[in-house]
Amino acid sequence: DPSPGLLAIRERLRERAEAAFAQFNAEWSGSTSASFFSEVDAVATTVRGAARADVEIERKYLLKSVPDEARRALRTDIDQGYIPGAKLHERIRRVTIRQGTGPADVRYYRTVKLGEGVVRTEIEEQTTEAIFDAMWPLTKGRRLRKRRYVVDHDGKTWEIDEFRRRDLILAEIELA
C-alpha cells in the first residue's frame, strides 16, 4: 500500500513550502526589500530617459517636384530594405554620399522603430558592409531606392526624398 509513503511525502513538501514562504516573507516584505526596489526604480527611470532620447517626432509632406534649392544641396543615394516583423520594424540601408567630383562615401545602417503615429522610438546604428550583405536577402520584395536631398532652412533640416521607379517625392522634418 503506497498511501503512507505518499502521505509522508505530501507532509514534507508542505513543510518545505511553508519554510520557503516564511523565508521569502522575512527577506522581501516590508522595509527589508526597500533598497532593492529603490534600485529597480532608479534603473527604470534611467531606461525611460534613454528611450526618450531616441524618440522622434516627424512630419511628412507630399511634394509635386523637387525644389530647385534642394537640387543644389547635399545629395545621398539610399538603398533601403525592410526586414519582416509584426511588432518590431527594422530596416537596413546603404547610403552613398556624393560631394563634388571626389569618390563617394558609402555607409551602412540598421534602424529599429517602435510605435506608431507621429511620435515613435527610433534606434539607429551604423553597421558594416558584411552585416548589410548578410541581411539584404531578408528584405527581398520589401526594398526601395531613393535620392535624398538635405536642406537647411530657418534653423531646421528638411530631408527631401525622390523615390526611384515611382512618381513620389516626400519632404520630412523632425521636430523637438
Side-chain angles (χ1 to χ4, degrees):
D1 182 20
S3 295
L6 290 174
L7 290 173
I9 291 171
R10 184 180 80 179
E11 183 60 27
R12 280 205 176 153
L13 288 173
R14 188 185 57 73
E15 289 170 0
R16 281 186 176 175
E18 287 176 359
F21 181 75
Q23 180 181 356
F24 169 79
N25 200 25
E27 293 175 5
W28 291 97
S29 67
S31 62
T32 53
S33 61
S35 65
F36 170 78
F37 287 110
S38 177
E39 289 179 32
V40 169
D41 287 341
V43 169
T45 299
T46 301
V47 168
R48 266 191 238 110
R52 284 191 190 110
D54 293 322
V55 168
E56 71 170 4
I57 301 172
E58 61 185 22
R59 297 275 191 222
K60 291 189 180 198
Y61 300 90
L62 180 63
L63 303 181
K64 291 181 181 180
S65 64
V66 175
D68 290 337
E69 181 180 352
R71 292 209 185 272
R72 294 186 297 271
L74 177 66
R75 178 186 98 204
T76 59
D77 291 318
I78 300 171
D79 295 303
Q80 182 168 297
Y82 295 88
I83 297 170
K87 292 186 179 184
L88 187 69
H89 304 284
E90 184 174 3
R91 73 173 181 230
I92 56 172
R93 281 183 172 171
R94 176 179 38 231
V95 178
T96 306
I97 303 166
R98 300 182 194 287
Q99 286 184 308
T101 58
D105 179 20
V106 180
R107 297 180 187 170
Y108 303 90
Y109 298 92
R110 288 180 64 191
T111 305
V112 175
K113 290 190 179 193
L114 301 168
E116 295 181 13
V118 176
V119 180
R120 299 184 293 177
T121 299
E122 179 181 281
I123 301 168
E124 183 173 79
E125 69 177 7
Q126 194 164 350
T127 191
T128 65
E129 182 178 7
I131 289 175
F132 177 88
D133 289 342
M135 294 178 74
W136 188 249
L138 301 173
T139 67
K140 187 175 182 180
R142 296 173 183 87
R143 297 177 183 162
L144 60 89
R145 294 188 71 218
K146 60 187 176 181
R147 176 160 291 159
R148 173 168 287 170
Y149 304 91
V150 179
V151 179
D152 290 321
H153 183 75
D154 289 339
K156 302 268 189 235
T157 301
W158 288 86
E159 294 176 339
I160 300 170
D161 291 337
E162 180 180 26
F163 289 78
R164 301 302 196 196
R165 292 181 237 138
R166 299 175 192 208
D167 186 22
L168 179 62
I169 301 169
L170 294 177
E172 175 183 310
I173 187 167
E174 290 199 22
L175 305 169

